[in-house]
Amino acid sequence: PLFPTAILTFVLNDKQNPLPQNHPIKLEVWDAKGKLVYKKNKKIKANRFSKFSISTSENAPTGNWEAVVSVGGISFSKQLPVETIKPNRLKVKIDFEDEVLVASKPLKGKLNIKWLHGAPGKNLKASVKVKFSETKAGFKKFEEYVFNDPIRSFSTEEITVFEGQVDTNGEAKITKKLNIENQAPGMLRASFFTKAFEKGGDFSMDVFSKKYAPYTSFVGLKSPEPKAYGSFYTDENVTFDIATVSAEGKPLSRKNLEVKIYRIEWRWWWSSSYDDLSSYVGSEFKLPYKSFKISSNSHGKAAININIPDDEGGRYLIRITDKESGHSTGRTAYFYRNWWQRPSDSNQEAANMLIFSADKESY
């Protein structure tokens, strides 16, 4: 059997040196393994347009094929990307009750399968899998806020949410309680992969994504404009804004938000991996530099002032946690008045370390 035909069109511009009509023109096509798979000779038409129809076999190798046209002692070539992709014959659609999927509620939706000509896919088998991945997505009205926890990372998980047959109308209900084992740093992307199987074994595929909220509410952090090398000044109040929102992005009031500020020692952040903050904060011997609680107002807003003395300048981790939902946000920040000096240490090696690390943090 042959796959759908590929149409190639060649246009010749020979105004400066016109070739006679009916002059021969040749097309040769090599597959991805360098094997000649197509050869065709034609004659130049008056309008200088030449059309070639090329078909590939079922076992044709995928990859970049090459088409070469030879005419009048000159050759022209073009790469042809060829893949064994079969077009869908079934239309798959999934509708969910909620715009944002949340962990606190079972997944509820409706699967619908139709043939492309509109008839329902009666009693066809189908499977729906969802794969979760980390995303930096926030909320529309809080675009300048960071809603991700810097000390948590998330590894991809895949869960089967439906496997079975649709009814005579080509429909089936999806009801599944999703349990995410890993602690997510923030909002996740849920990508749904659906396969609908024909009676003969062929299948059609569909992929789409939705937001998935592993927490009932989120806390966000907005930073002020930094100074040189992305740092903030010591010996002055630096104001960071905080927002608390629902999974749908609506502002809400939260009491007793936990704020912890950790000073990260020079030796640790120089010798350890750049983003390995969880092991540092999780150490039973590590106490926060500062720790206090705040509450957000009815508009979901709050603010904190951080004032680091000049002789304690360095790299700090700022982390805010909503104990009610379990979500956290935060960032690392440098606090310096004179960034080229390590406070209380004039050692040149320490100064070089600071310059290099401040540079790395700013990119």
Side-chain angles (χ1 to χ4, degrees):
L2 297 178
F3 280 10
T5 301
I7 307 297
L8 299 183
T9 302
F10 176 75
V11 183
L12 177 66
N13 183 353
D14 60 342
K15 290 184 177 180
Q16 292 185 351
N17 297 295
L19 294 174
Q21 191 170 341
N22 296 326
H23 187 86
I25 180 172
K26 179 177 66 175
L27 171 68
E28 294 177 314
V29 179
W30 283 265
D31 66 18
K33 295 182 178 180
K35 179 183 177 181
L36 180 64
V37 294
Y38 182 89
K39 185 176 179 179
K40 185 74 173 180
N41 292 300
K42 287 193 173 186
K43 294 180 179 181
I44 294 178
K45 296 182 179 180
N47 62 7
R48 289 338 196 217
F49 278 76
S50 300
K51 185 183 77 171
F52 299 90
S53 301
I54 303 170
S55 295
T56 58
S57 63
E58 186 176 10
N59 58 354
T62 62
N64 289 322
W65 293 28
E66 186 176 22
V68 179
V69 172
S70 301
V71 56
I74 302 176
S75 297
F76 306 88
S77 63
K78 182 178 179 60
Q79 280 194 346
L80 307 175
V82 175
E83 297 186 12
T84 54
I85 298 176
K86 193 170 184 178
N88 284 347
R89 302 209 310 164
L90 295 166
K91 184 178 180 181
V92 180
K93 184 180 180 181
I94 299 180
D95 288 320
F96 289 107
E97 293 182 358
D98 302 310
E99 182 64 28
V100 178
L101 308 178
V102 294
S104 58
K105 296 172 59 178
L107 186 67
K108 290 186 178 181
K110 184 172 70 173
L111 171 64
N112 183 278
I113 299 174
K114 291 182 179 179
W115 293 96
L116 292 185
H117 53 69
K122 296 181 180 180
N123 304 318
L124 296 181
K125 290 183 179 180
S127 69
V128 182
K129 294 183 178 181
V130 59
K131 182 179 290 186
F132 296 95
S133 57
E134 191 173 329
T135 176
K136 300 297 182 183
F139 301 92
K140 286 185 178 180
K141 295 182 179 180
F142 301 89
E143 294 179 353
E144 295 180 335
Y145 290 76
V146 174
F147 287 89
N148 284 70
D149 188 351
I151 75 169
R152 288 178 180 172
S153 60
F154 183 84
S155 57
T156 301
E157 292 189 17
E158 185 177 271
I159 299 173
T160 299
V161 296
F162 177 84
E163 194 162 20
Q165 281 189 334
V166 295
D167 60 21
T168 54
N169 295 317
E171 296 181 348
K173 291 183 178 180
I174 297 176
T175 303
K176 179 75 173 182
K177 176 64 177 176
L178 299 177
N179 295 313
I180 305 300
E181 295 182 0
N182 295 333
Q183 285 189 315
M187 188 74 74
L188 297 177
R189 178 184 292 109
S191 299
F192 292 87
F193 299 83
T194 305
K195 285 185 178 181
F197 297 88
E198 301 176 23
K199 298 294 185 182
D202 287 341
F203 61 86
S204 297
M205 295 183 61
D206 181 75
V207 181
F208 79 100
S209 299
K210 289 184 74 71
K211 285 184 176 181
Y212 179 80
Y215 305 96
T216 55
S217 62
F218 293 79
V219 55
L221 178 68
K222 178 184 174 182
S223 303
E225 284 294 321
K227 308 299 182 182
Y229 290 92
S231 64
F232 302 101
Y233 283 156
T234 51
D235 281 337
E236 72 176 35
N237 285 336
V238 181
T239 302
F240 292 83
D241 294 322
I242 295 173
T244 50
V245 299
S246 66
E248 294 75 24
K250 296 179 180 179
L252 52 80
S253 176
R254 273 287 189 262
K255 294 182 179 180
N256 297 321
L257 296 172
E258 186 178 75
V259 180
K260 289 186 177 181
I261 303 171
Y262 296 86
R263 184 180 183 183
I264 304 174
E265 281 86 354
W266 284 75
R267 293 185 180 275
W268 187 89
W269 62 260
W270 180 254
S271 62
S272 298
S273 63
Y274 180 58
D275 289 320
D276 185 19
L277 295 170
S278 57
S279 60
Y280 186 83
V281 173
S283 170
E284 59 182 319
F285 303 106
K286 176 51 55 187
L287 296 175
Y289 172 79
K290 289 184 179 180
S291 179
F292 54 93
K293 293 182 178 181
I294 61 168
S295 298
S296 59
N297 60 25
S298 58
H299 300 288
K301 296 293 185 69
I304 57 174
N305 289 318
I306 300 176
N307 192 318
I308 303 296
D310 193 54
D311 60 356
E312 295 181 358
R315 186 186 182 204
Y316 286 79
L317 168 65
I318 305 167
R319 190 167 185 252
I320 302 96
T321 301
D322 178 1
K323 285 291 188 179
E324 187 171 334
S325 69
H327 179 250
S328 299
T329 188
R331 61 159 296 173
T332 56
Y334 292 94
F335 289 85
Y336 290 105
R337 175 68 59 172
N338 300 313
W339 56 265
W340 60 89
Q341 286 185 340
R342 174 184 172 182
S344 71
D345 191 340
S346 59
N347 184 293
Q348 184 60 41
E349 179 184 0
N352 290 338
M353 287 163 55
L354 172 58
I355 293 172
F356 175 81
S357 297
D359 241 359
K360 182 169 63 173
E361 187 86 1
S362 65
Y363 287 102

